[in-house]
Each structure stands twice: as structure tokens, then as C-alpha cells.
Amino acid sequence: MTAIRLLLVDDDPLVRAGLSFMMGGADDIEIVGEAADGAEAEALVDRTRPDVVLMDIRMPTVDGLTATERLRARKDAPQVVVLTTFHADEQVLRALRVGAAGFVLKDTPPAEILAAVRRVAAGDPVLSPAVTRQLMRHAVGTAADTRRTRARDRLTVLNDREREVAVAVGRGLANAEIAAGLFMSVATVKTHVSRILAKLDLNNRVQIALLAYDAGLLEEEQEEH
């Protein structure tokens, strides 16, 4: 089994040391480097080619949000998991919108942080349905009408089946759950998700979920039921 290549980014050396000790003990994870800010992280990504970057948001020089956006814009972008102290912080939302695959709280138990890194490396987001709903409620507050109009315009490129899958992703459902609910195979769900990402020029499922929520698709589904 190939080890997951992990880069740690945090301006606090004690946090980095703790993460390194905790993550380095896992047989399937290889820590390929540590960085104290976003600029250093970008340089290290070039040299070490990590699969996953565990990224603090609040750092000097180049913050984690800027670094995440730059990394996710690359052709062979690593997955990024944001480290934060808040469940529903505007900067966390911005990081998710530019391509972070999810976030973990700094006081999350070690086993859950390990699980998050493994999930992201496997291509799955690390947002539970409950946390997703909390974040999206937080997102509604600012310029909601403008955001909804723009989101609805973007979603016009999807067909009806793809819209159904997008709503299911927005609800935080896994592929197997979507397949059961929409009476299709898991492989077909994956194909639909890939097509949605391509049509909307998105990085990952988290961005699909945010866009579906911005467009009001989840509210419409609740009203229908």
C-alpha cells in the first residue's frame, strides 16, 4: 500500500510538532514536510508533491486561504484540509469555495484527524451533513439574493438527473446513499458527479454542495416533501 504523502502547514511550531507526532505514527501516512506559512507551503508542494495538505487558515505573510486558492488552481493540485478553531467561520467558507475538501477543528481527536486525511486522499469530502448545514446557514447571511441568482444561472447547464445528484450531494450524502435514493448504481452516481464537476468547473463535492445550497435547491426539495 502506498503511503499518503502529507504536508503540515501551521505557524505554531507546537501545533506542527503535535500533528507530526500524531500523524507520523500511522503506517499509511508519510509526512513529507512542514511549513510555517502559505508561501513556504507553496514552495514545499513543488518539492515534495504531497497528496494532502493540512492547512491552518490564520498565518502571517501568506495566509491559509490564499495558499489554498493558489494550490487548488494548479493542474496537479493536492487536496487541502483546513485547520480551524471555528465551526462556521467566514474564512472557512471561503476556503471551501476555492477548493478545500473540508475542514477539521484543532481540538478534533487524533483518530478523527487521521480519518479525515484518509478520506480526502481517497477523494471524499470531510464534512458531515450536520456541519454542512451549519456552514451553509452561515453562508446565507451575506448577499444571499445575488448569490442565489448567480448560482441558479450556473446550474442551468445541468440536466434533471444531474440536478437531483447535485441536491443529494448538497445534503451531504455519500455515493452509496445517493445511489439507493435515486435508484442507480454507485458507478453511475460517480459518473454524474464527475460530469457536474466538469460542467460547473468545480474542484470537489463540497463546492457542488455549496452551489446547490446557494441556488436554493435544498429548500425546494424540503418544500416538496
Side-chain angles (χ1 to χ4, degrees), residues 157-175:
V157 300
L158 302 184
N159 61 38
D160 290 343
R161 202 56 162 164
E162 288 165 349
R163 285 172 69 90
E164 289 179 328
V165 173
V167 170
V169 171
R171 291 171 54 206
L173 300 181
N175 287 339

Side-chain angles (χ1 to χ4, degrees), residues 8 25 43 56 65 72 75 91-92 94 116-117 121 123 134-135 142 144 154 196 213-215:
L8 305 176
D56 188 20
L65 176 63
R72 291 300 299 164
K75 182 178 180 180
Q91 287 186 307
V92 174
R94 289 174 62 195
V117 169
Q134 182 181 4
L135 278 169
T142 306
R154 290 186 67 186
I196 293 168
Y213 193 88
D214 285 346

Side-chain angles (χ1 to χ4, degrees), residues 136-137 139-140 144-145 148 152 167 170-171 212-225:
M136 290 176 178
R137 282 196 298 269
V140 169
D145 291 339
R148 175 162 295 194
R152 285 179 178 270
V167 170
R171 291 171 54 206
Y213 193 88
D214 285 346
L217 298 187
L218 304 189
E219 295 173 22
E220 291 175 359
E221 185 197 37
Q222 290 175 351
E223 290 172 359
E224 291 173 0
H225 294 81

Side-chain angles (χ1 to χ4, degrees), residues 82-119:
V82 171
L83 278 169
T84 181
T85 54
F86 300 99
H87 280 281
D89 177 79
E90 183 62 31
Q91 287 186 307
V92 174
L93 281 165
R94 289 174 62 195
L96 296 175
R97 290 187 187 282
V98 299
F103 73 93
V104 293
L105 299 177
K106 287 192 175 182
D107 60 357
T108 299
E112 293 182 23
I113 296 180
L114 285 168
V117 169
R118 291 174 179 132
R119 284 189 62 185

